[in-house]
Amino acid sequence: MVKVEGLDKLLAEHPFFDGMNEDMRKTLSGCARNERFGPGEFVAHEGDPADRFYFVRAGAIALEFHVPGCNPIVLETLHGGEVFGWSWLVPPYAWTYDIRVLELTRLISLDGACLRKKLNKDHELGFELYSRFVPVMAKRLSSARLQLSDMYGRPCKKGE
Amino acid sequence: MTNPAKPKSSKPDAFVMDANRLDALIGALASSGHAVMGPRVADGAVILGPVAGAADLPLGVTDRQEPGRYRLKTVKKDPAYFDFAVGPHTWKKFLFPPREKLWSAERAAKGFAVREDGIDAARRDKLAFVGVRACELAAIAAQDRVLTGGEYRSETYALRREQTFIVAVNCRTSAATCFCASMNTGPGVGAGHDLALTELGGGKDHRFLVEVGSTRGEKVLMALNAKPAKPKDVAAARAAVAQAAKGQRKMPKSAPTVLAGATDSPRWADIAQRCLNCASCTQVCPTCFCNTVTDTTTLDGSGAERWRHWDSCFTLDFSYIHGGAIRGDGAHRYRQWMTHKLSHWFEQFGTSGCVGCGRCITWCPVGIDITLEARGFVKDAKGKRKG
Amino acid sequence: MVKSTKPVPDSMTPAPFRVTARRQDLADTFTIELEAADSPRGFAFRPGQFNMLYHFGVGEVPISISGDAGAGKLIHTIRDVGAVTHGLSTLKKGDMVGVRGPFGSAWPVDAAEGSDVVIVAGGIGLAPLRPAIQHVLDNRDRYGRFVILYGARSPKDVLYLPELQSWRGRLDTYVDVTVDHAESGWAGNVGVVTKLIERANFDATHAVAMLCGPEIMMRFTVAELTARGMDRGDIHVSMERNMKCAVGHCGHCQFGPKFVCKDGPVFPYGEIEALLKARGV
């Protein structure tokens, strides 16, 4: 396993941590783990306990729903610099999608249970983390809504 | 587009002729190959159509116009030829016909051959208009800019327009719906005519002051044996026109800027509740130019035609793109019409798209008054500024 | 005004063109190649301009020019969505089409020289941008970084796939493609096209962006580009409105004080920002 100092350096390279003070980042790196997945592997399955969340360093993963009798529906693909898995923040802490790996992917994951403990004690750290999560969630929601609009198809059926 | 200006000379510009010489004027225009169009009474309104002589003109006819109301009245005392205001027709129906075949095509070995029937027909259309009011001259000038003033021009319009001889008439009465004075387009004729008449008196002492606006106007006038006008005749004519400007409706001066900033006003929804989207205002408006084309084919598919006809921004189809109409809401359609007319036209063509003729007020079946609505927007804007 | 004693053809008269090739791009989208029937004299146009295409007896539609095949051949990519476009979809090699044009404003390919160029296209919006892309690629040394971002509805709706792949194969061009919806067989990105902007490398303060796609997509793309520091005046969008005449006479394409046919279809975003936000304009 990689040393904590090394993980802190990897965290610092990820855009999610841009501008975060070093102490906080070091605290977080205490819950961190370096991971590697190959194409076709699953990082998580829908309904699994959500005990980790992930920072993509390089590679690509897909958030998917599987539909019996059909090919799975890809909801979104994520690449280096992005994050996924905030179910650890929301009871009952379970994954809502399958996370399938598309190509060789390097991730850093943080242990959710470990983090929840730290955040309960250190609200300042909690605020810092939430301030970084909320914009990501807002952007993801906005993208999802745009996808829903089916803008390249026929956004409305007016006048027929 | 203006008619060829009259060169400067020492010859007088103003003449006087007896009212019965109107026949000679119409005759002179007809004999020089013009189809003469003028006002005449039909179906209880003064409309525009072919006139063979002065007898066809609405002698003694006057009108009462109010929002959504139009009635003719005939006066016995000192009847005059032009003491009514504009009716439901506009001269655009001749220059820019409501329905016009632009071209026809026949399938041929190399695909198809196009025949420009529209241009051929326009070339044959040599027209003379008798009784064009100042506001209507302004409207013709506005349509000139739209249809011939840009990079592309409508050849059929351009041909008709050049060949048209215009006898304008100064207004000495206004309808209650007129607001040309506040639009600076009337009631006195400024430019764009070949000859301009002002009626003097009526009945027994009935004459016309005739003013020359172009060389071809001067040529026609020469055939009429009109006498040079006396200063008191000119003064009487000017006084009558000045009188007509009094008591008109007014368009607020700030309407163009206020409307440009009123896109989100709730007032549009209020107007839309009254507006029937009947497109009547756009059909009687002398400047509305919006049109569409219809392509047709013969039953055996060997021939095709393209027709251009008037369209209106009040129809749903007007703004249709695949998926739906951009302006699906009546409020959006009224906003498009009024804002275009009074505001956007300046940016597009450098002038107002409204000439103050008042037709849209009279012929609106629910009596929507564009000047009143404009005042409402101006009032809102003032209220906002005061905070 | 100029005397019209010798009338030129009316601005509403189409010229006959012959179909020299036809290709089906997508289920509802096809490309035709045209050549003037009388005199194959070439067809000068600027990237971003459009033609009015007339299908005999059926009617006329505005279609962006999507390329020059050389030797004066014109290329149009058309989506079959109405009576006229459906008629055009049935044309075969040798058939005739009426053409009026070219009309309208162009992509600022000259003004963009010396800058990075960012193309963001959505759906069939790639077609009007293709001549601009070709121009930049043909004159590659005159521009900075070249970024092409393309979003489509699903993998089977990706237009010009072979060309996208060949552009992507160049070392001097960055191409990224995404779809809104996909099944797991698709190896590319899934997500909205605006997401591609984050990952692309260009200098927002020295770049010119050219956008074409659904209005919603263009609005969100502008938000992303301006958040990255781009000036509204450096972002150009191509607009679509109903058009009947293409010469500013029929009034249909009015967009506030603008005529999309003659002031557009390509506008600097700053010029029409307020109009895009208003409803029913």
Side-chain angles (χ1 to χ4, degrees):
Chain A
M1 190 149 180
V2 186
K3 282 184 183 163
V4 168
E5 291 78 32
L7 278 172
D8 174 51
K9 202 171 145 261
L10 293 181
L11 283 186
E13 283 167 5
H14 196 279
F16 185 83
F17 295 96
D18 277 354
M20 183 183 279
N21 83 43
E22 222 179 303
D23 290 346
M24 283 189 182
R25 209 177 55 229
K26 284 207 163 120
T27 311
L28 292 175
S29 63
C31 303
R33 188 164 86 196
N34 206 357
E35 303 196 38
R36 204 190 90 150
F37 290 87
E41 285 189 83
F42 285 86
V43 178
H45 281 283
E46 183 185 323
D48 283 353
D51 47 13
R52 306 200 76 76
F53 79 107
Y54 295 86
F55 303 87
V56 185
R57 290 175 56 215
I61 61 103
L63 311 188
E64 293 183 351
F65 272 142
H66 79 272
V67 184
C70 301
N71 289 325
I73 298 165
V74 184
L75 301 165
E76 191 166 21
T77 53
L78 300 174
H79 303 79
E82 297 192 276
V83 306
F84 64 90
W86 47 69
S87 297
W88 68 276
L89 283 168
V90 189
Y93 313 119
W95 284 93
T96 37
Y97 318 113
D98 293 343
I99 309 293
R100 194 170 59 89
V101 176
L102 300 173
E103 58 188 52
L104 177 68
T105 296
R106 297 178 190 283
L107 304 164
I108 305 169
S109 67
L110 294 188
D111 178 334
C114 158
L115 263 178
R116 282 197 296 267
K117 257 182 237 157
K118 286 191 179 177
L119 299 192
N120 274 331
K121 278 189 219 144
D122 185 349
H123 287 186
E124 208 173 318
L125 177 65
F127 177 78
E128 183 70 28
L129 213 52
Y130 273 74
S131 302
R132 284 157 196 275
F133 256 119
V134 171
V136 173
M137 294 164 93
K139 199 162 231 177
R140 218 56 80 69
L141 179 62
S142 151
S143 297
R145 285 174 171 165
L146 209 50
Q147 276 171 291
L148 263 181
S149 75
D150 192 21
M151 56 191 178
Y152 305 118
R154 305 193 58 183
C156 66
K157 302 258 193 264
K158 235 163 72 177
E160 278 181 358
Chain B
M1 168 160 57
T2 52
N3 293 335
K6 182 185 164 302
K8 290 215 184 306
S9 74
S10 56
K11 281 180 274 182
D13 284 334
F15 298 80
V16 162
M17 68 176 193
D18 281 343
N20 61 20
R21 297 294 290 158
L22 212 46
D23 245 346
L25 172 60
I26 292 170
L29 291 169
S31 63
S32 55
H34 294 93
V36 185
M37 303 294 166
R40 50 192 303 168
V41 173
D43 301 328
V46 175
I47 57 135
L48 302 174
V51 286
D56 286 339
L57 299 176
L59 185 67
V61 171
T62 63
D63 55 6
R64 295 271 319 248
Q65 301 194 34
E66 295 291 343
R69 190 181 159 81
Y70 178 94
R71 291 290 183 276
L72 294 184
K73 217 177 97 183
T74 308
V75 295
K76 293 266 155 49
K77 188 169 174 286
D78 300 338
Y81 283 111
F82 296 105
D83 275 352
F84 49 86
V86 292
H89 285 190
T90 70
W91 303 98
K92 90 176 174 189
K93 75 173 200 170
F94 304 113
L95 295 172
F96 185 60
R99 238 175 88 73
E100 179 182 16
K101 182 161 55 155
L102 293 176
W103 49 257
S104 58
E106 288 290 331
R107 273 195 197 279
K110 282 182 82 181
F112 53 87
V114 179
R115 198 176 54 231
E116 294 188 302
D117 308 300
I119 288 181
D120 296 343
R123 203 181 282 125
R124 288 191 299 269
D125 248 357
K126 193 177 172 190
L127 299 163
F129 298 163
V130 175
V132 181
R133 308 305 174 117
C135 60
E136 296 179 308
L137 285 173
I140 291 169
Q143 286 217 324
D144 288 349
R145 273 186 286 273
V146 175
L147 296 167
T148 66
E151 190 185 345
Y152 298 94
R153 61 180 195 172
S154 164
E155 288 304 314
T156 58
Y157 179 91
L159 277 167
R160 284 199 179 86
R161 182 66 180 90
E162 276 162 20
Q163 291 166 177
T164 300
F165 188 98
I166 292 181
V167 181
V169 168
N170 282 299
C171 291
R172 54 178 195 175
T173 55
S174 285
T177 45
C178 293
F179 57 101
C180 61
S182 67
M183 299 304 296
N184 293 318
T185 58
V189 167
H193 56 283
D194 295 297
L195 290 174
L197 308 178
T198 315
E199 221 160 358
L200 298 168
K204 279 177 191 153
D205 177 27
H206 195 185
R207 294 171 303 149
F208 282 101
L209 181 79
V210 190
E211 290 165 282
V212 174
S214 72
T215 38
R216 62 184 177 188
E218 192 173 18
K219 251 184 231 161
V220 170
L221 185 64
M222 285 307 137
L224 297 178
N225 298 324
K227 287 181 245 81
K230 291 181 183 132
K232 69 167 190 177
D233 295 327
V234 177
R238 300 284 183 266
V241 174
Q243 187 60 33
K246 289 181 184 160
Q248 286 192 347
R249 277 179 152 70
K250 282 190 178 66
M251 177 60 74
K253 288 273 172 283
S254 59
T257 44
V258 165
L259 286 171
T263 310
D264 282 334
S265 170
R267 206 168 268 280
W268 298 117
D270 172 70
I271 302 172
Q273 284 197 323
R274 288 171 277 142
C275 173
L276 306 177
N277 282 286
C278 69
S280 194
C281 48
T282 58
Q283 302 304 289
V284 296
C285 178
T287 67
C288 272
F289 59 85
C290 286
N291 64 84
T292 188
V293 293
T294 306
D295 288 287
T296 60
T297 177
T298 54
L299 279 178
D300 65 355
S302 65
E305 291 180 349
R306 174 167 300 168
W307 288 76
R308 172 165 63 196
H309 44 94
W310 292 355
D311 201 354
S312 170
C313 54
F314 281 96
T315 68
L316 261 181
D317 263 7
F318 188 83
S319 61
Y320 183 88
I321 51 175
H322 66 94
I326 302 273
R327 292 186 279 276
D329 191 323
H332 294 155
R333 295 198 287 280
Y334 195 90
R335 181 182 69 193
Q336 168 62 26
W337 179 70
M338 185 170 173
T339 310
H340 181 219
K341 201 107 297 209
L342 293 171
S343 179
H344 291 158
W345 208 294
F346 281 97
E347 282 169 74
Q348 296 172 344
F349 303 107
T351 61
S352 172
C354 174
V355 296
C357 72
R359 285 183 177 92
C360 60
I361 305 174
T362 300
W363 297 97
C364 175
V366 294
I368 295 174
D369 175 351
I370 192 172
T371 65
L372 192 68
E373 302 303 338
R375 270 204 298 285
F377 286 103
V378 169
K379 202 181 94 200
D380 295 347
K382 278 183 185 152
K384 249 181 221 152
R385 272 206 301 278
K386 279 177 195 152
Chain C
M1 90 177 238
V2 186
K3 281 273 179 190
S4 59
T5 42
K6 247 179 88 185
V8 292
D10 194 87
S11 51
M12 294 299 286
T13 306
F17 274 63
R18 186 185 305 282
V19 178
T20 51
R22 183 200 187 278
R23 178 183 80 215
Q24 190 72 31
D25 297 297
L26 308 172
D28 63 351
T29 305
F30 59 97
T31 295
I32 47 176
E33 191 184 277
L34 303 174
E35 182 179 71
D38 318 336
S39 52
R41 64 190 175 284
F43 192 94
F45 69 95
R46 293 179 297 145
Q49 290 192 299
F50 68 96
N51 280 326
M52 295 299 288
L53 299 188
Y54 169 68
H55 185 53
F56 191 82
V58 181
E60 208 178 38
V61 280
I63 304 284
S64 287
I65 300 168
S66 48
D68 177 355
K73 283 181 183 166
L74 253 179
I75 295 176
H76 282 286
T77 294
I78 305 166
R79 190 170 170 193
D80 175 2
V81 287
V84 181
T85 49
H86 183 70
L88 293 170
S89 79
T90 64
L91 293 174
K92 294 181 298 289
K93 192 176 169 183
D95 287 347
M96 303 302 293
V97 186
V99 176
R100 289 194 295 127
F103 298 115
S105 63
W107 298 112
V109 287
D110 294 334
E113 286 186 8
S115 304
D116 290 358
V117 175
V118 181
I119 302 275
V120 188
I124 194 162
L126 186 57
L129 279 163
R130 190 169 166 271
I133 294 171
Q134 281 184 330
H135 181 93
V136 173
L137 292 176
D138 290 349
N139 303 276
R140 189 62 194 86
D141 54 338
R142 295 189 208 160
Y143 299 89
R145 275 163 287 200
F146 188 31
V147 171
I148 301 171
L149 308 177
Y150 177 55
R153 189 188 198 194
S154 76
K156 65 180 194 309
D157 300 307
V158 174
L159 190 64
Y160 304 149
L161 186 60
E163 263 183 302
L164 283 164
Q165 278 163 340
S166 88
W167 297 335
R168 180 182 244 165
R170 292 174 64 126
L171 296 174
D172 57 5
T173 304
Y174 174 86
V175 177
D176 207 359
V177 177
T178 187
V179 297
D180 272 4
H181 308 284
E183 295 181 351
S184 63
W186 164 250
N189 299 308
V190 178
V192 288
V193 67
T194 49
K195 278 195 65 190
L196 303 180
I197 295 166
E198 252 172 57
R199 292 211 299 271
N201 181 25
F202 60 91
D203 179 353
T205 55
H206 293 99
V208 171
M210 305 178 197
L211 278 46
C212 188
E215 259 180 63
I216 320 175
M217 169 243 150
M218 294 198 290
R219 294 202 305 263
F220 277 81
T221 302
V222 168
E224 202 67 40
L225 291 171
T226 50
R228 185 149 164 180
M230 271 198 85
D231 191 279
R232 286 164 162 68
D234 291 331
I235 302 173
H236 298 260
V237 301
S238 183
M239 291 295 302
E240 185 188 10
R241 282 292 181 270
N242 188 342
M243 284 188 207
K244 293 290 180 190
C245 74
V247 293
H249 294 172
C250 80
H252 282 260
C253 71
Q254 283 179 90
F255 181 44
K258 311 284 184 194
F259 284 90
V260 172
C261 70
K262 59 176 189 178
D263 303 320
V266 177
F267 292 96
Y269 177 72
E271 242 178 56
I272 57 164
E273 185 176 6
L275 297 170
L276 274 170
K277 286 177 184 164
R279 296 182 177 192
V281 172

